Amino acid sequence: MSFLLVHGAGMAASCWDRLLPLLTGPTVAVDLPGRGKRSDRDIRGVTLDDCAAAIVEDAADLTDIVMVAHSFAGVSVPRVLPELADRIQHVVFLSAVVPPHGTRVLDQIDPAVQAAVRQSIVAGVYHQDRAAAIAMLCNDMSPEQTEWTADQIIDDSAALLEETVDLSGLSADLPRTYIRLTKDACYSPDLQSRSADLVGGSTRFLESGHMPMVSIPNDLAALLDQVRK
């Protein structure tokens, strides 16, 4: 049994650091291109295909994989499911952004959040204002958790928000669960519900804001252990 964790927009593999010690079995947290171990890549040129290639590369030594797609990873993870299907045991979509096939992520998010995102794009780079990011991501956190999370935020590729989503990989016959976060101030309950419908499979709930791997890592680890059985 192993875990493959894929972060969302404006983050790197480090966002999982508080969850990693709580998971059993081999665990890999992916750094998508333009950050962490892949920071040599110019973030402005990163595409969803590049993200998919990074996920496949980091999965090379894993078997019996529980893949966890957080937030924006909902649009990159479906691209790798057919290729990794024979090694995946379960796919978990954690408050994952899963817009309809053929649309753009930017068109599908909450209008208030969309306005903030558009204002954060400069010269092809999505740069999150610290205060705005805290309001969206940290509404259920302690002061220490909030500061730690805010320190993880990085610039990201604006092009990823504009790229057409390909959900054809969801046709892979794999067990899947969508985890809805009841206190999420970033991805609304309605949008989570729509994404869960597109993903299919089962739905679970956690009383958490958008970053349960930080705010309630023990609860998230316990739920992931339940899901994989």
Side-chain angles (χ1 to χ4, degrees):
M1 185 71 62
S2 60
F3 288 94
L4 185 65
L5 312 175
V6 188
H7 63 76
M11 290 285 169
S14 61
C15 75
W16 301 101
D17 283 356
R18 298 189 174 195
L19 178 69
L20 295 180
L22 306 174
L23 299 176
T24 56
T27 302
V28 174
V30 177
D31 270 316
L32 296 178
R35 68 212 82 202
K37 71 179 184 180
R38 295 186 170 94
S39 58
D40 57 330
R41 177 68 183 270
D42 185 345
I43 197 72
R44 291 169 295 183
V46 174
T47 67
L48 289 174
D49 281 343
D50 295 330
C51 294
I55 296 169
V56 170
E57 181 180 12
D58 282 0
D61 297 325
L62 299 178
T63 57
D64 297 323
I65 300 168
V66 176
M67 181 177 290
V68 183
H70 178 240
S71 192
F72 192 82
V75 298
S76 55
V77 162
R79 292 173 178 250
V80 308
L81 297 184
E83 186 169 354
L84 299 179
D86 61 340
R87 290 189 284 134
I88 292 177
Q89 184 184 94
H90 206 103
V91 188
V92 177
F93 292 84
L94 179 61
S95 194
V97 179
V98 187
H101 179 81
T103 65
R104 304 180 307 167
V105 167
L106 197 55
D107 295 331
Q108 303 301 320
I109 58 180
D110 183 86
V113 175
Q114 182 183 126
V117 169
R118 289 189 182 278
Q119 292 172 4
S120 302
I121 295 174
V122 178
V125 174
Y126 171 43
H127 174 78
Q128 298 183 73
D129 173 77
R130 187 180 181 94
I134 287 173
M136 287 193 296
L137 304 177
C138 307
N139 56 299
D140 65 330
M141 293 185 187
S142 70
E144 184 276 330
Q145 291 172 335
T146 296
E147 289 305 306
W148 186 88
T149 300
D151 288 343
Q152 307 309 307
I153 296 168
I154 63 168
D155 291 344
D156 214 328
S157 170
L160 294 175
L161 301 170
E162 303 278 0
E163 192 172 342
T164 300
V165 171
D166 181 357
L167 296 185
S168 59
L170 289 178
S171 63
D173 186 16
L174 293 166
R176 61 197 74 185
T177 298
Y178 193 100
I179 299 177
R180 293 179 57 180
L181 304 177
T182 61
K183 296 181 179 179
D184 199 328
C186 181
Y187 202 47
S188 72
D190 177 60
L191 290 172
Q192 289 183 62
S193 177
R194 294 184 200 178
S195 290
D197 288 343
L198 287 168
V199 165
S202 63
T203 298
R204 303 290 292 270
F205 293 83
L206 267 182
E207 190 174 347
S208 170
H210 195 62
M211 303 288 291
M213 69 284 283
V214 180
S215 60
I216 52 167
N218 286 284
D219 293 340
L220 178 57
L223 182 53
L224 291 176
D225 274 337
Q226 292 174 21
V227 163
R228 72 180 187 171
K229 292 177 181 178

